[in-house]
């Protein structure tokens, strides 16, 4: 009998594998524009980060998102992520 597998994604900060619902997806589209993807359906290259401040801070410091997406992440994106975590 096959078990149903929950898709896991890796957080760029802590390298932990978590169900997609517990992570935030940051997407870089073809034009190189960054978006925070709450639907998980945006096209482009995506990187995941845990929905908490620890990982956000860590990602900022170790530039995990920069590496994963091969692009400089502007503070604006971190601010947005921060606000999202705050307001949750
Ligand atoms: Zn994490």
């Amino acid at each position: 009998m096959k078990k149903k597998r929950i898709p896991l994604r890796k957080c760029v900060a802590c390298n932990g594998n978590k169900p997609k619902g517990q992570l935030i997806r940051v997407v870089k589209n073809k034009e190189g524009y960054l978006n925070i993807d709450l639907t998980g359906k945006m096209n482009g290259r995506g990187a995941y980060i845990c929905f908490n401040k620890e990982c956000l801070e860590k990602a900022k410091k170790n530039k995990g998102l920069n590496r994963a997406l091969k692009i400089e992440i502007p503070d604006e994106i971190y601010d947005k992520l921060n606000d999202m975590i705050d307001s949750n």
Side-chain angles (χ1 to χ4, degrees), residues 28-34 71:
K28 183 179 82 170
N29 70 12
K30 267 192 260 167
E31 285 76 38
Y33 189 78
L34 287 168
I71 192 172

Side-chain angles (χ1 to χ4, degrees), residues 24-62:
I24 309 172
R25 185 172 183 242
V26 181
V27 177
K28 183 179 82 170
N29 70 12
K30 267 192 260 167
E31 285 76 38
Y33 189 78
L34 287 168
N35 260 308
I36 296 162
D37 178 16
L38 293 172
T39 63
K41 285 172 187 162
M42 283 186 188
N43 288 320
R45 190 187 175 95
Y48 293 84
I49 181 167
C50 298
F51 205 84
N52 66 52
K53 291 218 169 167
E54 278 167 42
C55 281
L56 181 60
E57 285 303 313
K58 217 188 251 182
K60 227 169 159 176
K61 271 183 208 147
N62 74 9

Side-chain angles (χ1 to χ4, degrees), residues 1-42:
M1 217 169 80
K2 266 191 177 176
K3 268 192 190 167
K4 204 177 176 187
R5 281 185 43 183
I6 300 162
L8 296 175
R9 293 293 180 270
K10 196 184 250 190
C11 166
V12 297
C14 65
N15 283 321
N17 284 309
K18 299 205 172 177
K20 277 167 92 174
Q22 291 176 26
L23 300 156
I24 309 172
R25 185 172 183 242
V26 181
V27 177
K28 183 179 82 170
N29 70 12
K30 267 192 260 167
E31 285 76 38
Y33 189 78
L34 287 168
N35 260 308
I36 296 162
D37 178 16
L38 293 172
T39 63
K41 285 172 187 162
M42 283 186 188

